[in-house]
Amino acid sequence: MAGKIKVGVLGATGIVGQKFVKLLEKNPWFRLEIVAASEKSVGKVYGEAIRGSGENFSDEIKELEVKPLNPKAFRNEDVDIVFSALPSDVAYQIEEEFAKNGFIVLSNASSHRMDNDVPILNPEVNAEHVDMIDEQRKKRNWDGAIITNPNCTTAILTLSLKPIYDAFGLKRVVVSTMQAVSGAGYPGVASLDIIDNIIPYIKNEEEKVEKETLKIMGLPYQPANFKISSSCHRVPTIDGHVEAVFIETEKKSKPEEIIEVMRNFKGIPQKLNLPTAPNPPIIVRFEDDRPQPRIDRMAGDGMAIVVGRIRYDKVFDCVKYVVLGHNLIRGAAGCSILNAELLKSKGYI
Amino acid sequence: MAGKIKVGVLGATGIVGQKFVKLLEKNPWFRLEIVAASEKSVGKVYGEAIRGSGENFSDEIKELEVKPLNPKAFRNEDVDIVFSALPSDVAYQIEEEFAKNGFIVLSNASSHRMDNDVPILNPEVNAEHVDMIDEQRKKRNWDGAIITNPNCTTAILTLSLKPIYDAFGLKRVVVSTMQAVSGAGYPGVASLDIIDNIIPYIKNEEEKVEKETLKIMGLPYQPANFKISSSCHRVPTIDGHVEAVFIETEKKSKPEEIIEVMRNFKGIPQKLNLPTAPNPPIIVRFEDDRPQPRIDRMAGDGMAIVVGRIRYDKVFDCVKYVVLGHNLIRGAAGCSILNAELLKSKGYI
Amino acid sequence: MAGKIKVGVLGATGIVGQKFVKLLEKNPWFRLEIVAASEKSVGKVYGEAIRGSGENFSDEIKELEVKPLNPKAFRNEDVDIVFSALPSDVAYQIEEEFAKNGFIVLSNASSHRMDNDVPILNPEVNAEHVDMIDEQRKKRNWDGAIITNPNCTTAILTLSLKPIYDAFGLKRVVVSTMQAVSGAGYPGVASLDIIDNIIPYIKNEEEKVEKETLKIMGLPYQPANFKISSSCHRVPTIDGHVEAVFIETEKKSKPEEIIEVMRNFKGIPQKLNLPTAPNPPIIVRFEDDRPQPRIDRMAGDGMAIVVGRIRYDKVFDCVKYVVLGHNLIRGAAGCSILNAELLKSKGYI
Amino acid sequence: MAGKIKVGVLGATGIVGQKFVKLLEKNPWFRLEIVAASEKSVGKVYGEAIRGSGENFSDEIKELEVKPLNPKAFRNEDVDIVFSALPSDVAYQIEEEFAKNGFIVLSNASSHRMDNDVPILNPEVNAEHVDMIDEQRKKRNWDGAIITNPNCTTAILTLSLKPIYDAFGLKRVVVSTMQAVSGAGYPGVASLDIIDNIIPYIKNEEEKVEKETLKIMGLPYQPANFKISSSCHRVPTIDGHVEAVFIETEKKSKPEEIIEVMRNFKGIPQKLNLPTAPNPPIIVRFEDDRPQPRIDRMAGDGMAIVVGRIRYDKVFDCVKYVVLGHNLIRGAAGCSILNAELLKSKGYI
């Protein structure tokens, strides 16, 4: 398509980078022009540089030459929108360099998420935070911008909380997660550590879930003020994070009311008809035994979340439920692509 | 050993029944004399009647003839103590028949657990409930007795809560579980349903966890009055249930205090030096990533629980932790055998 | 589509039955009109009658009423083509009843496969066997016909052998399989039996592989006369059978020659451009570590097989390779649907 | 035990190194005195240096200080027997240095296995090869010695072939393997690569199996002259390699004869009553569905192999069977420890 906007992917060889590439292959608004990665991949063709073998790419994609993580390489190709799947340790500096050089950086890295002037954007939840980049540009004196998507677990959780928060307010949230191995990247979790096993710990994850959730669900620059606590666990599934959620709402609420607001929920992306926006964004299921990762993770092409077992909870005299989302799509690459679509529809791109 | 007490197992061919048989093989106080099961197994040798092939039994055990579920068959062999691993639907009536005929029935079935005069005994937690059988005998006018062990998840949970409850009291408990497939018996969970998957539902499990916990942790005939809520999930592990627990104590408590009381805890079985009593009953681990089912489930020969990640929780301004136990041993057969040892030391056997 | 041919599925609620339904949902030549199953499902809507939850069906499909396994029910709806996913024990009689009543029965059941006058049709391999039904009709004095697809392992194996057989002849074939759990139906293999485990036995499978292969690769009524031996094993994968194959050809052959004939192979379905025919039917991969079930099983929409590691073999001074195919699609439902397309293009439908 | 012989382990922190440590903990003849590893572990206590968390070591073991891979460190402690679990790339040089300095090196590394004067010792199979070290010492002019154990797959295979070879001779062997992830060390196989998957390739494995088998089963310096071909695959199991074996014997043989010679087999270690020698070394099972890794891998404390499905094979007009062994015990650390016991009983230690 002639009119597509050219984009690039930073850190394109890892698991999330590959997912960006895969999703961009069919995006109607953006065209993948550049894949970039660290020194050891530069100059190779993409098909040889990628780690693991989870995605079956087209030959065209496989033959792209991997470029360095350098703004110039992108400018030469008239690309000024980049998606970042860089590891957190290098993302901080490289993403800033791109932003300084005028690029819009849509990042899955955690490095900048908690910066005061950087939005964590989950577009059905806090599309209005996008305006924070005006302030960011002023303050940082750059033409580019850094916009992050949430941590995978947080993206799924906050989308499920949004309609509840709007309708009833929130006082407390307790969440325990069962997270798929793809969340740890590649090679990530050793098979010896996870077959017939659970690892009840994911580094920094609980802190991320707790802080990011409040930032996303609050006003710009002002976190929401409910209490949230999480326990995060790795389980032997490939893709799809499951979260058991217990909530206490400000205003009393009942399971049937929660079901109602979840089912009726539409976010800004749905109202704007953005190409990647799932519709509905929240699928409520009524079978006893759903959602299940292997069966439900691709709901809404991996962009919807699936909620089940919405039921009465005695501890908070409120509601508990189970939510599932695709950690690499809704929880990572797909979310940033939807953010880019939002930026375009708002005129930032 | 000449002096061993002869015992039998009802429902000996299922997964829990097999675990009873396996554990009794080496028990110093009891000798397995009779294995009994439903009609279709009666008359076969045990080695051919058992379902699945998880336990490697000795030839002597494999050649035992399976007897009918009939008190007479047991009396003929001078057995008057029976362990029951019967399925709940048939357990109710058969266990009563044995009790009426003077047998002490130590049951893993849920059928009688919530009967007002039947103790659910997790002996480190509520050894004193054993006296309820005096009342039971009077009321039911029988010489036998029915004593149950808790549901697997509850056995593990209540043992972890016991030292906290004693030291600080409890107001609220939120627990999310990741349960192994052996908890569903054999054939149980279809592999097609659980490989690369999670099933966020286990029939009746949440109700059992919530009700049994209060009964066990209360006084005889008077449930404890804290609030408890659970979310139960099946994951692709073989043995060992993991539980993420969030608690609010009556008296303020801190992680280091909770660690202290857990590490120092000894129950009645430890004080009585019962042969099957694990010592310590609660193993506290300080690595970030423990407990893990495959590595830790056999701690204390499967009778100890392993607690890790004891840390501050913001929602209750208290503590959250992760606990693991072997669902078939501490959570089923091993618990009832320890109950039998308690009964013997108290003179009931 | 008005012009689509109406078809029905017998045994529609099992795993293979569901795959028939799923594949027929989008077939351009056939329209699913009737789902039929055993007594206990009749009258229910399909969405409630299905076992397991592996396929996400459309609401339209879920609301189909399940009909009895009775030719009349089908005639009433003007259906005279049926796909059978019946269990072998009932398939024998029911399929004959349909054939007697004039139906063309395309069956995945093993019951009739070794009947002398019934073709086992793997259409890229032995399309010409379709004519056997003329003889079958004469001999059995019926207007209908029974055409079977091969056992899943055999379907994959024979497609890989076909170009070799044509070019070089075959003297000996040794094959060891690693088969996915979906091959055992639902509930099928217990998770307790297969997590962290292998079961080195699948009932009747080795006999089927050995006999069916020779029947398929021979002339009608005259089995091929090479020697074949198999060892079949169940492993913890969901879908996709992997087979390690060692061959000795009549005419000497080298790996590069085998690669050549496999890559260039087209069968009758490809030449006829049948809608479900994968193109190419055999995908040869050159990476060291392919084919892999999770990544490659959907090649050619599950209808292609993927061959890798074609290399020199010392024992037969010939070639060994690894082949993978989707057991439920190429190895079952998809194969019978392609058979139906072949029948239509040959004028039988 | 005062009289135990002091030993050390080189490369003690990896998976095989840990297994050496674990097994030596309870060996009646040897006492583990030194654990040594590469620079980055030296000086740490063993409990902190180990990778992964598969083995639960005693506190005494965990507090051992890790020493450098340097003969002096060992001499200082009067240790002159070392077990090597070094990675192949560094093993070559380090093992020679130890041998030059007079140490007896019992190695699991592949580096020296195919050296003409180094025995690959699987002691039930080729105990007489131990004498090769006399020649080795003369030729290399050192007082120490290098003795290797076979590759894991080969150790299991050759033990199963030994009684057949002795009784009937061998012409051809075809073997397809299903190998556990622990065979790849730690972190080894990524979980993303193996959950719900098979990897039909293990680097250099097929070459090792084919060459080592002939060296072990031949005379010293003269490989056996039958033909052998293998196809090696990684599957999602933790421990225990399964091998499907098809054989052609020199002298005609039938399944019942093969069963007979396998069941009656005793090797030199059994005749010498070596402490680690399993008795019997080969367990033949008659159930249809055995051996299975999770159930059978610890047979004979992991030192026995389990053979099942011994049956007629049409391709070679001979026999096929399935064999299982514990890859880390019989196939690695346990084998070298048994080799050390053999050396002691022969007066080399």
Side-chain angles (χ1 to χ4, degrees), chain C residues 172 192 195 229 294 313, chain D residues 172 192 195 206 229 294 313:
Chain C
R172 299 202 255 197
L192 266 175
I195 290 177
S229 182
R294 204 180 63 235
D313 164 63
Chain D
R172 300 203 253 197
L192 266 175
I195 290 176
E206 296 173 358
S229 181
R294 205 181 63 237
D313 164 64

Side-chain angles (χ1 to χ4, degrees), chain A residues 40-249:
Chain A
K40 70 172 187 296
S41 296
V42 172
K44 291 186 189 168
V45 295
Y46 186 63
E48 277 168 25
I50 53 178
R51 312 172 72 184
S53 44
E55 305 281 358
N56 281 311
F57 292 105
S58 68
D59 286 343
E60 195 186 359
I61 293 288
K62 279 192 208 159
E63 280 154 30
L64 284 174
E65 189 194 320
V66 178
K67 296 288 163 63
L69 298 164
N70 186 323
K72 265 184 219 153
F74 286 71
R75 279 289 178 238
N76 294 344
E77 307 285 341
D78 283 332
V79 172
D80 40 29
I81 314 292
V82 294
F83 296 96
S84 165
L86 292 168
S88 297
D89 54 342
V90 302
Y92 194 84
Q93 196 188 335
I94 295 174
E95 290 179 3
E96 292 210 348
E97 207 183 313
F98 273 84
K100 268 181 216 160
N101 278 275
F103 287 79
I104 289 187
V105 181
L106 296 130
S107 174
N108 181 59
S110 63
S111 326
H112 287 285
R113 282 194 203 132
M114 295 308 299
D115 287 4
N116 192 50
D117 59 346
V118 172
I120 310 177
L121 216 55
N122 196 11
E124 281 86 349
V125 181
N126 64 339
E128 68 283 6
H129 286 209
V130 76
D131 301 338
M132 288 168 71
I133 63 177
D134 298 335
E135 191 68 20
Q136 181 193 115
R137 283 167 164 181
K138 218 179 297 173
K139 181 177 149 201
R140 303 215 187 197
N141 195 23
W142 61 27
D143 292 334
I146 296 177
I147 299 98
T148 64
N149 63 256
N151 159 285
C152 48
T153 303
T154 311
I156 296 158
L157 177 65
T158 53
L159 179 47
S160 78
L161 292 175
K162 172 66 173 174
I164 304 171
Y165 191 60
D166 286 354
F168 304 101
L170 280 171
K171 284 172 75 173
R172 301 203 254 198
V173 175
V174 170
V175 58
S176 295
T177 70
M178 287 152 274
Q179 302 186 216
V181 297
S182 65
Y186 188 84
V189 182
S191 55
L192 266 175
D193 284 338
I194 202 69
I195 291 177
D196 181 20
N197 209 14
I198 294 166
I199 305 173
Y201 177 67
I202 300 171
K203 204 177 171 183
N204 297 330
E205 189 82 354
E206 296 173 358
E207 295 76 0
K208 286 181 196 168
V209 170
E210 295 170 9
K211 285 190 187 158
E212 294 180 14
T213 294
L214 296 178
K215 175 165 176 176
I216 292 167
M217 303 202 70
L219 300 174
Y221 317 110
Q222 188 184 326
N225 69 358
F226 57 87
K227 294 202 180 308
I228 174 167
S229 181
S230 65
S231 190
C232 294
H233 316 86
R234 189 76 67 194
V235 297
T237 52
I238 288 290
D239 291 316
H241 289 358
V242 173
E243 312 179 12
V245 186
F246 301 73
I247 57 169
E248 181 178 21
T249 51

